[in-house]
Amino acid sequence: ARNSSPERASEETVVEVQRLAAGIVAGVLAGRSLDAELADVWRRRPQSAAAERGAIQDLAYGTLRFRGWLETVLEALLKKPVRDARLHALLLVGLYQLEHTRAAPHAVVDHAVRTCESLGLAFAKGLTNAVLRNFLRNRTSLGARARRAETARFSHPQWWIDKLRSQYPTLYASALDADNLHPPLALRVNRRRIATGAYLDLLADHGIRGERAGECAVVLASPVPAHRIPGLAEGLVSVQDLAAQVAAPLLELSDGQRVLDACAAPGGKATHVLELADVDLVALDNDDARLDRLRANLARLGLKAEVRCGDAARPESWWNGRTFDRILADVPCSASGVARRHPDIKWLRRPRDIEQFAQRQSRILDALWQVLGRGGKLLYVTCSVFQEENGEQVAHFVERHPDATRLILPALDADPQLPAGQLLQNPRHDGFFYALLQKA
């Protein structure tokens, strides 16, 4: 009877949460994506309660978000590096809990020691106890010393810090700091089904505070789980960052146009296009599994598009010869502008990846230009803040194509400190880049 008491069950759950979070962090540090690690855990534990899932996710995300600082502090606490990857990740998770959560310090330490045993690392119980208690005794001095290192101060790799500093000398620090914030929850109101003002009233009726942030945009004062967002399942709104909501209006859509979304899944921008105008939309993506999510979003919002599976860089495999009036090219990129939503990106990306993304983007642009009709417009989009993928990419494209003109985007080019079309991440929105190209 004692073993099945609520108190013991709760303790065991907390230890299990810590163990699973440490396992996820270890997987990411070994090179796997955070999404893949989480998916594996949910697959093994399909009956996990929502609260337990949330706790696991919070610990994994938080530890990766502040990994730079945590690693620097851990190094100062150890006489020699920890060889076991699981123990290393557990110590990072424990330090994150002690520094960034309201969990009782003694409980965090106790749970970490017990987690050692559940991981088969009983030999490390004493080390774990000593490291975490030493941190508690010296946290102020340890934190102050750690922040002298830029990788700890910003919790980004040094190459990433150096690149942003060289490209945005006056803004890099604020952008890096924004990467370590919890992202806001922004909604796009489906104006075919409800007016923005009416939706704000609906939020108020459910006790949720929201602020209008554009013609069809709403930002919630505090994030809520998806199942608690009024009208989401019914297609009244979609979850979409404010910077991403810029895309569809920039296409200058009108009824009857033939439009291609060349990298469409999971469908956020494609469905926005269809909400703004009655167009003939072809939604293309090379990942059939992701296209299933696009189809689900179309159905949820009551919208229709021709969905095709194909590689945007190889039109011969999917194009029927009819040119498009508008093309949206939200191309694969480093995702450096959305690192706060995917904190593993900071630690998985390598400098050489940027060049590889730029080469792929170049191939996609050249291919899509062939299927754009004369006088048509192509909107090039990335969720990157690195200029090799953005302004430099577009400049090289215009040099290669004399019939291409880059158009001015007054709504985006107001800040003289930023390159044309660039949005840096801040507390309100993610980092994005836009360039509108017209064919002569």
Side-chain angles (χ1 to χ4, degrees), residues 43-111:
R43 190 160 46 247
R44 294 194 304 267
R45 302 171 63 87
Q47 304 305 319
S48 297
E52 182 180 341
R53 288 191 175 210
I56 294 167
Q57 191 162 300
D58 285 347
L59 289 187
Y61 269 76
T63 301
L64 292 167
R65 183 172 286 125
F66 294 106
R67 181 198 170 195
W69 186 90
L70 297 170
E71 292 276 17
T72 304
V73 169
L74 180 58
E75 184 180 0
L77 288 165
L78 292 170
K79 293 181 180 179
K80 59 182 180 180
V82 172
R83 292 185 179 181
D84 190 286
R86 296 168 301 165
L87 177 58
H88 179 81
L90 174 61
L91 291 171
L92 292 178
V93 170
L95 288 172
Y96 168 74
Q97 289 178 280
L98 293 174
E99 180 67 13
H100 291 282
T101 73
R102 287 180 283 186
H106 69 278
V108 171
V109 177
D110 178 59
H111 295 150

Side-chain angles (χ1 to χ4, degrees), residues 288-309:
D288 207 32
R290 281 167 53 83
L291 282 174
D292 286 341
R293 293 177 59 194
L294 185 148
R295 294 183 183 97
N297 274 319
L298 289 169
R300 179 179 63 84
L301 294 162
L303 302 169
K304 293 183 179 180
E306 182 181 346
V307 179
R308 296 183 190 173
C309 187

Side-chain angles (χ1 to χ4, degrees), residues 82-410:
V82 172
R83 292 185 179 181
D84 190 286
R86 296 168 301 165
L87 177 58
H88 179 81
L90 174 61
L91 291 171
L92 292 178
V93 170
L95 288 172
Y96 168 74
Q97 289 178 280
L98 293 174
E99 180 67 13
H100 291 282
T101 73
R102 287 180 283 186
H106 69 278
V108 171
V109 177
D110 178 59
H111 295 150
V113 171
R114 291 171 58 185
T115 298
C116 283
E117 194 157 1
S118 69
L119 287 171
L121 302 171
F123 67 88
K125 290 165 66 175
L127 173 67
T128 300
N129 182 69
V131 165
L132 297 181
R133 291 194 181 281
N134 194 11
F135 171 74
L136 289 172
R137 285 192 296 269
N138 301 286
R139 67 190 306 167
T140 302
S141 60
L142 284 166
R145 277 187 297 172
R147 280 187 285 273
R148 296 171 191 165
E150 284 192 324
T151 53
R153 156 70 178 84
F154 294 114
S155 271
H156 283 69
Q158 191 64 52
W159 71 266
W160 190 308
I161 298 169
D162 293 341
K163 183 180 288 289
L164 276 195
R165 179 165 36 220
S166 70
Q167 296 182 352
Y168 307 97
T170 62
L171 300 173
Y172 78 97
S174 61
L176 292 168
D177 286 340
D179 274 348
N180 295 327
L181 299 174
H182 286 275
L185 179 53
L187 305 175
R188 186 188 78 235
V189 178
N190 181 359
R191 69 180 192 180
R192 291 184 179 272
R193 293 195 169 181
I194 190 171
T196 306
Y199 185 73
L200 285 168
D201 292 339
L202 180 63
L203 285 177
D205 291 342
H206 285 77
I208 299 173
R209 290 194 299 121
E211 170 194 354
R212 188 167 187 156
E215 185 178 350
C216 300
V218 170
V219 177
L220 300 190
S222 300
V224 299
H227 68 271
R228 286 194 52 214
I229 299 175
L232 179 65
E234 296 77 19
L236 300 186
V237 292
S238 297
V239 176
Q240 189 178 39
D241 183 76
L242 293 181
Q245 292 189 41
V246 171
L250 289 179
L251 282 167
E252 300 173 355
L253 299 162
S254 59
D255 293 350
Q257 288 175 334
R258 182 168 162 77
V259 180
L260 170 68
D261 186 344
C263 307
K269 298 179 183 66
T271 52
H272 195 186
V273 166
L274 293 168
E275 289 171 8
L276 294 181
D278 292 318
V279 299
D280 177 11
L281 178 69
V282 175
L284 179 77
D285 203 274
N286 65 353
D287 187 333
D288 207 32
R290 281 167 53 83
L291 282 174
D292 286 341
R293 293 177 59 194
L294 185 148
R295 294 183 183 97
N297 274 319
L298 289 169
R300 179 179 63 84
L301 294 162
L303 302 169
K304 293 183 179 180
E306 182 181 346
V307 179
R308 296 183 190 173
C309 187
D311 184 350
R314 298 180 62 249
E316 67 275 9
S317 67
W318 52 265
W319 185 43
N320 63 8
R322 293 179 58 200
T323 57
F324 295 92
D325 303 302
R326 297 288 186 269
I327 296 178
L328 173 60
D330 185 5
V331 297
C333 70
S334 64
S336 50
V338 294
R340 65 181 169 190
R341 299 185 188 276
H342 306 278
D344 54 321
I345 286 173
K346 297 188 292 186
W347 314 112
L348 296 178
R349 287 282 178 263
R350 297 293 181 265
R352 64 180 179 273
D353 296 340
I354 312 307
E355 180 181 353
Q356 292 171 355
F357 277 117
Q359 291 172 357
R360 186 178 180 189
Q361 293 154 2
S362 179
R363 291 194 296 271
I364 291 174
L365 273 174
D366 287 343
L368 293 179
W369 200 246
Q370 302 172 39
V371 306
L372 180 67
R374 295 185 180 279
K377 295 177 181 179
L378 182 152
L379 183 65
Y380 176 77
V381 185
T382 75
C383 55
S384 171
V385 294
F386 297 145
Q387 286 307 302
E388 295 91 333
E389 303 177 87
N390 297 344
E392 293 177 20
Q393 177 72 260
V394 172
H396 294 324
F397 176 81
V398 172
E399 287 177 6
R400 294 195 304 274
H401 296 272
D403 59 344
T405 301
R406 183 177 180 181
L407 303 179
I408 296 173
L409 300 174

